[in-house]
Amino acid sequence: MDVVTLGESMVTFLPGRPGRLADVPSFDRAIGGAESNVACALAAFGHTARWVSRVGADGFGDHLVERIAGYGVDVSAVRRDPDRPTGVYFRTAGDRGTGAHEVAYYRAGSAASAMSTRNVDLAAVRAARVLHLSGITAALSDTCLDLLRALTAPGPDRPLISFDVNHRPGLWRTAEGPRVLLEVARHADVVFVGEDEAEQAWGVTGGPEAIRGVLPEPGVVVVKQGERGATAFAGPGRSTDADRGRATASRPSAPSPTAPPLTAASPAALPPAAPPLTAAPPTGASPTAASPTAAPHAFEPALRTAVVATTGAGDAFAAGFLSATLRGLPLRTRLRHGHLFAAAVLTAPGDLAPPPARDHADRLAALDAGAWGRLRLGPGWTQADRATEEANHP
């Protein structure tokens, strides 16, 4: 597989009209899950993708598996739990950024929250050029956290690890969430983190450079900056021969001297930098977190879009960036593909939207800076045949 993702997906109930959950009379059924969203977007773009999880032996589990498989995702490693249900959640029509937004989760005790190293097919998880994980899984249960730690540990069959921090304070049962997320992120090869969530979770301010400072180990760190755009840092970090999955740990060492101390506003108990890891040199077309010829960092402004809904845009951005990584494209182009995938979701309702066709995305990603800045993307732009057709100027 090009990419394997592991995590919980839930049946989502979207309101038939705006208003409080208490007032909405009917809901439409959809699916939602950070990791499965990434798998679906990549499969729709032509990559081989597998989603690994556990769902209940119920109708909602049937619906999830069938819908995700419908995007071309391999679901052969999804296991059914006869004793635990599939998670579901309800949300209002308002954007998550507003105070009126409501989400009601019914995922406690779900089948996915019982994932562990004993009941997940680890061989199927690791059989990938890239393994994509997120901080949501770490928050679900102790066994899920143990599973993430096992998957991110150095070993002979470790693929390139992609990790989206996805800090969700409401999911954590203790105050240890920020510490755990930083620990896992420091053992990944590619890390996605929002500028706002880095401040919320770790108290890190000072922009993308400061965030890179507390994450010196990953080969690539992508800092999402909302409507402004995104910055990616490529450094020596770790590189992984993801086709062969060969990785070994270096001898334990002191915390990286390039990581500045956390500010006073940071959680006092956050761990020092994890010991650096080494890996066999990449061969062939294997994706790598960073390459010697890559620019050390790049910034790309976000595209201007007629936003319909923001849910799922971060997952789509990760999918676009990983797609370009798999194709060996330059760092700046990886960011642009992330923005293009995100724009597809931003201009559609729900958590998922088909990305543009590959030649369409490549054409747009190759625009000069002026043309990129002039693009105005609205609903349906991914179906446009020519780049000029989606540049809808007022």
Side-chain angles (χ1 to χ4, degrees):
M1 290 289 160
D2 287 336
V3 177
V4 170
T5 70
L6 177 143
E8 179 172 36
S9 293
M10 294 179 291
V11 173
T12 309
F13 289 94
L14 306 174
R17 71 183 191 194
R20 301 185 309 153
L21 287 179
D23 301 328
V24 175
S26 62
F27 296 81
D28 294 320
R29 186 178 62 178
I31 62 174
E35 298 84 4
S36 61
N37 286 348
V38 171
C40 289
L42 285 166
F45 200 65
H47 294 284
T48 54
R50 171 183 293 144
W51 170 60
V52 179
S53 189
R54 290 177 67 82
V55 299
D58 50 34
F60 288 148
D62 294 341
H63 179 66
L64 276 176
V65 173
E66 291 168 5
R67 282 290 306 278
I68 293 171
Y71 281 85
V73 176
D74 182 291
V75 296
S76 60
V78 177
R79 299 291 178 256
R80 310 305 288 263
D81 191 320
D83 302 315
R84 298 176 179 86
T86 303
V88 301
Y89 77 98
F90 297 76
R91 65 179 175 88
T92 53
D95 185 74
R96 280 181 174 170
T98 69
H101 182 72
E102 297 175 75
V103 179
Y105 289 104
Y106 298 91
R107 71 196 310 175
S110 69
S113 69
M115 285 190 296
S116 73
T117 56
R118 299 180 302 277
N119 60 25
V120 167
D121 185 344
L122 298 181
V125 174
R126 291 172 171 141
R129 300 174 66 195
V130 176
L131 171 59
H132 180 72
L133 307 167
S134 93
I136 295 173
T137 304
L140 296 181
S141 67
D142 291 341
T143 60
C144 283
L145 175 55
D146 290 342
L147 176 60
L148 254 63
R149 284 174 168 153
L151 293 172
T152 56
D157 53 356
R158 169 184 157 131
L160 186 142
I161 302 293
S162 166
F163 181 69
D164 192 336
V165 172
N166 257 326
H167 178 46
R168 305 286 175 84
L171 288 180
W172 290 92
R173 302 169 305 284
T174 71
E176 292 297 300
R179 171 200 287 272
V180 169
L181 293 174
L182 189 58
E183 170 201 333
V184 178
R186 283 172 166 169
H187 284 83
D189 302 297
V190 179
V191 174
F192 299 93
V193 60
E195 194 172 29
D196 54 348
E197 66 182 346
E199 179 177 0
Q200 182 184 35
W202 306 322
V204 178
T205 59
E209 290 78 9
I211 296 171
R212 176 55 160 168
V214 298
L215 289 169
E217 300 88 356
V220 168
V221 172
V222 181
V223 180
K224 296 175 289 184
Q225 298 167 265
E227 295 180 353
R228 287 172 291 166
T231 299
F233 297 90
R238 289 178 298 271
S239 63
T240 302
D241 182 348
D243 278 336
R244 300 187 181 183
R246 298 178 309 201
T248 58
S250 67
R251 291 177 297 173
S253 63
S256 170
T258 62
L262 297 174
T263 64
S266 304
L270 288 175
L277 306 179
T278 61
T283 60
S286 301
T288 56
S291 68
T293 59
H297 70 275
F299 170 81
E300 277 297 316
L303 290 161
R304 300 185 187 184
T305 61
V307 176
V308 174
T310 60
T311 305
D315 306 328
F317 180 94
F321 189 93
L322 291 176
S323 170
T325 300
L326 286 160
R327 298 169 65 196
L329 301 179
L331 194 62
R332 187 177 299 277
T333 309
R334 299 181 197 184
L335 287 171
R336 285 197 169 188
H337 277 269
H339 288 317
L340 288 165
F341 275 52
V345 172
L346 288 169
T347 53
D351 292 17
L352 282 166
R358 185 170 295 199
D359 61 344
H360 190 181
D362 288 343
R363 188 165 60 245
L364 294 179
L367 293 173
D368 62 42
W372 178 264
R374 289 192 296 271
L375 283 176
R376 304 291 189 274
L377 306 183
W381 73 269
T382 57
Q383 280 72 55
D385 291 328
R386 301 293 302 172
T388 54
E389 294 182 20
E390 69 266 2
N392 300 318
H393 295 280

